[in-house]
């Protein structure tokens, strides 16, 4: 699922890059505020995954369903607040982020259009997290792939104006993304309502919220939200550093990021699976099984990470050439620089994959206070610090950001793996 979604995201970036470097940079800059608007959703979903997986292991169906209903209501409220906030601060936020005069209008329009679908995206993410936690990953696969295929088709129609549609360029990509989110929302709601499952929910169910259930979600979700907030702030600081290197650097980083994200998505699936399986095993009070799921996921991620590194190094020129624009003369220079940076940046995949699997094992156990602390130290302090040193003091440019990423991921992996080995996460109650 994660591989196919990231592949479609890569194709999305390629389509936007066909318009030119400014369009690619404009859309890329607007991604950080989009991700920051999803901070609460990510926190809630970490809480949902941990609690529903635990209830699944305990065979407490009523408890799991109650968690899902509460989480949906919380998602709707949080999404409306975040949508209104980011709509209001869109332009000044993007200026601070480093959008240049030629990319600012593109970024502002893209961000505001995508924000319109935020409530649908929040609810969709919540329902998918609950299905994964209850052992049903097919629902999330069908939902996300279907929605992204719709997104991809509309990209083809709206970005360049194919099949009789108007040429809307970056605005077309934003519209396609928003419609894709709405399609995903419709599919997930229908499956939750009509498909027989451990968490099947109906409108006729009791949707009244109670303090105990709400507090349970907030206790886990709040820490995960804090973790996500500092992670996004760290990524935001990194984005500002790269944006200040210029539009060309932003375009180069977008290509490198898209390529590495595709490779990372292969191991991301094991992180998602490990999170649910660890929580389920702890619900069954089987600690050795929970540890085994985590360790096997780490080993698999390491092997797959090595394979992806090899493939990217061998085919890097073919990959970056897909981003070339015939209408933009600067794209040739951007492609050459991206291919050079990829040779070194690709080695961040292994520590990133192992760290992410380990972190998700701890999250699945409900050990979100610890992962929040390591996220603050790692993404908000260590990575920006080393990125600044490598980008500006050693003048490595975009490559410096990836050196900083490698150092950060290696440190975070060491700290989180030490926690994983000591088994303190097995004693967390959710």
């Amino acid at each position: 699922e994660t591989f196919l979604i990231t592949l479609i995201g890569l194709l999305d970036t390629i389509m936007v890059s066909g318009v030119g470097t400014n369009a690619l940079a404009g859309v890329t800059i607007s991604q950080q505020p989009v991700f920051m608007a999803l901070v609460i959703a990510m926190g809630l979903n970490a809480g949902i995954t941990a609690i529903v997986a635990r209830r699944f292991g305990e065979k407490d169906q009523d408890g799991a369903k109650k968690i899902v209903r509460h989480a949906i209501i919380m998602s709707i409220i949080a999404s409306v607040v975040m949508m209104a906030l980011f709509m209001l601060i869109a332009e000044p936020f993007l200026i601070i982020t480093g959008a240049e005069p030629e990319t600012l209008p593109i970024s502002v329009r893209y961000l505001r259009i995508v924000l319109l679908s935020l409530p649908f995206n929040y609810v969709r993410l919540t329902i998918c997290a609950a299905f994964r936690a209850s052992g049903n990953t097919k629902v999330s696969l069908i939902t996300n792939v279907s929605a992204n295929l719709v997104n991809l088709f509309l990209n083809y129609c709206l970005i360049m104006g194919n099949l009789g549609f108007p040429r809307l360029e970056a605005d077309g990509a934003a519209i396609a993304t928003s419609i894709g989110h709405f399609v995903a929302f419709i599919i997930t709601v229908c499956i939750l309502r009509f498909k027989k499952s451990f968490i099947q929910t109906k409108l006729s169910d009791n949707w009244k919220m109670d303090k105990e259930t709400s507090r349970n979600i907030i206790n886990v979700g709040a820490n995960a939200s804090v973790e996500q907030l500092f992670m996004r702030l760290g990524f935001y600081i990194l984005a500002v550093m790269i944006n200040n290197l210029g539009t060309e650097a932003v375009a180069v980083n977008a290509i490198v990021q898209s390529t590495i994200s595709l490779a990372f998505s292969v191991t991301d699936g094991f992180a998602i699976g490990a999170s649910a399986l660890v929580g389920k095993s702890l619900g069954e009070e089987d600690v050795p099984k929970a540890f085994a799921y985590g360790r096997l996921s780490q080993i698999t991620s390491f092997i797959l990470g090595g394979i992806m590194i090899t493939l990217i190094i061998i085919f890097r020129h073919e990959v970056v050439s897909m981003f070339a624009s015939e209408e933009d003369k600067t794209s040739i220079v951007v492609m050459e620089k991206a291919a050079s940076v990829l040779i070194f940046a690709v080695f961040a995949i292994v520590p990133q994959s192992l760290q992410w699997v380990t972190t998700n094992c701890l999250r699945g156990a409900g050990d979100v206070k610890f992962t929040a602390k390591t996220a603050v130290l790692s993404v908000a302090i260590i990575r920006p610090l080393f990125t600044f040193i490598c980008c500006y003091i050693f003048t490595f440019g975009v490559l410096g950001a990836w050196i900083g990423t490698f150092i950060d991921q290696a440190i975070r992996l060491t700290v989180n793996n030490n926690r994983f080995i000591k088994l303190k996460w097995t004693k967390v109650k959710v």
Side-chain angles (χ1 to χ4, degrees), residues 13-15 46 120 151 154 163 179 212 238 257 374-375 389 414-415 423 427:
T13 304
I14 291 171
M15 288 179 171
F120 303 119
N151 183 9
L154 291 175
L163 300 180
I179 294 175
E212 184 180 349
L238 291 173
Q257 181 70 61
T374 58
I389 292 171
T414 302
V415 173
L423 300 178
K427 298 176 176 61

Side-chain angles (χ1 to χ4, degrees), residues 80-349:
V80 171
V81 172
M82 295 300 279
M83 179 179 69
L85 174 63
F86 278 87
M87 281 282 192
L88 185 65
I89 66 173
E91 187 167 346
F93 192 99
L94 288 165
I95 291 172
I96 296 171
T97 303
E100 297 186 358
E102 63 270 22
T103 60
L104 180 61
I106 298 171
S107 299
V108 172
R109 289 196 305 272
Y110 182 92
L111 175 58
R112 284 178 172 159
I113 293 169
V114 171
L115 284 172
L116 291 173
S117 64
L118 196 65
F120 303 119
N121 203 18
Y122 259 65
V123 174
R124 182 262 297 194
L125 291 170
T126 295
I127 296 173
C128 285
F131 270 115
R132 288 194 194 104
S134 61
N136 191 334
T137 56
K138 288 182 180 179
V139 170
S140 185
L141 170 65
I142 293 168
T143 300
N144 289 314
V145 172
S146 298
N148 278 277
L149 287 173
V150 170
N151 183 9
L152 192 63
F153 172 73
L154 291 175
N155 275 342
Y156 174 75
C157 295
L158 297 173
I159 292 176
M160 302 300 290
N162 293 310
L163 300 180
F165 285 84
R167 174 172 171 145
L168 301 177
E169 300 185 348
D171 290 356
I175 293 169
T177 298
S178 292
I179 294 175
H181 289 163
F182 179 72
V183 169
F185 164 78
I186 294 297
I187 294 172
T188 50
V189 169
C190 289
I191 294 175
L192 182 67
R193 166 62 183 86
F194 296 108
K195 181 179 174 62
K196 265 196 169 185
S197 68
F198 187 75
I199 59 168
Q200 184 180 21
T201 302
K202 302 175 182 178
L203 283 174
S204 58
D205 292 340
N206 180 14
W207 286 78
K208 186 178 180 180
M209 297 182 72
D210 62 74
K211 289 183 180 179
E212 184 180 349
T213 306
S214 300
R215 190 183 300 115
N216 199 12
I217 296 174
I218 291 171
N219 284 342
V220 181
N223 286 293
S225 292
V226 170
E227 176 188 354
Q228 287 295 321
L229 175 61
F230 278 97
M231 283 181 65
R232 289 303 159 196
L233 284 173
F235 291 143
Y236 175 73
I237 294 169
L238 291 173
V240 171
M241 290 183 189
I242 293 171
N243 294 343
N244 287 333
L245 293 173
T247 299
E248 188 178 282
V250 173
V252 169
N253 190 64
I255 295 169
V256 175
Q257 181 70 61
S258 296
T259 305
I260 290 182
S261 293
L262 181 63
F264 173 66
S265 69
V266 177
T267 56
D268 186 36
F270 287 91
I272 294 170
S275 179
L277 291 168
V278 164
K280 176 177 178 291
S281 299
L282 292 178
E284 296 169 346
E285 298 183 355
D286 193 341
V287 173
K289 189 178 181 182
F291 183 85
Y293 276 132
R295 184 58 90 207
L296 286 169
S297 296
Q298 287 178 324
I299 293 169
T300 307
S301 295
F302 177 79
I303 294 170
L304 289 172
I307 293 171
M308 296 308 294
I309 287 173
T310 304
L311 290 174
I312 289 175
I313 290 176
I314 293 172
F315 298 107
R316 65 185 184 280
H317 291 291
E318 287 79 5
V319 171
V320 300
S321 65
M322 294 188 295
F323 295 87
S325 169
E326 296 178 0
E327 301 177 15
D328 192 341
K329 294 180 181 179
T330 62
S331 68
I332 303 298
V333 177
V334 170
M335 299 308 114
E336 291 175 354
K337 289 185 177 180
S340 299
V341 172
L342 262 177
I343 296 175
F344 301 96
V346 73
F347 287 98
I349 291 173

Side-chain angles (χ1 to χ4, degrees), residues 235 238 378-379 381-388 404-405 408-409:
F235 291 143
L238 291 173
S378 172
V379 186
I381 299 174
I382 294 174
R383 191 185 298 189
L385 175 62
F386 280 100
T387 297
F388 178 81
T405 298
D408 157 60
Q409 294 295 323

